[in-house]
Amino acid sequence: MKLGLESWPDAFAATTVGYVASAIVLVSVRRVVSPAPLPRDPRVLWYCVIGLCNGLSVVFLYTALTHGPVTVVAPLMATYPLIVMGLNRVIHGDRALTPTTFAGIAISVAGVAVVLAAG
């Protein structure tokens, strides 16, 4: 990926090409393995939304790496599980916040602080 961005430093274009290529491969394999039409299930919309969010996260990551040092961007990116845990708790309410969970959050935040302080 790094070599590709050195020769073509446009993160948006690189991400778009990567996701379009992946989509073409997935649809092609799906058509070969099972030629039946795609299901009309409402959950498919959620998969599309998740894929869109994932693609946007890659674009934002590369944009952040373009504008900031990796010593700042990478530790911040490493905190995404904390955000996911919090959103899951707010949206679904199905994740218990146990002492182990709080210990994991504290260790993650401390690790990010150490890396940022050293950078």
Side-chain angles (χ1 to χ4, degrees), residues 6-89:
E6 286 178 2
S7 62
W8 190 19
D10 185 356
F12 181 75
T15 303
T16 302
V17 169
Y19 274 90
V20 168
S22 296
I24 290 170
V25 169
L26 286 173
V27 170
S28 300
V29 169
R30 168 68 164 75
R31 291 304 235 185
V32 169
V33 172
S34 175
L38 292 174
R40 301 278 182 207
D41 190 337
R43 292 176 290 188
V44 171
L45 176 63
W46 280 112
Y47 291 126
C48 293
V49 170
I50 291 167
L52 178 64
C53 290
N54 186 35
L56 287 173
S57 72
V58 174
V59 170
F60 291 145
L61 171 63
Y62 291 152
T63 302
L65 288 170
T66 301
H67 296 292
V70 72
T71 56
V72 172
V73 175
L76 292 175
M77 184 196 70
T79 63
Y80 84 88
L82 302 176
I83 296 167
V84 170
M85 178 70 130
L87 287 174
N88 193 352
R89 179 77 173 150

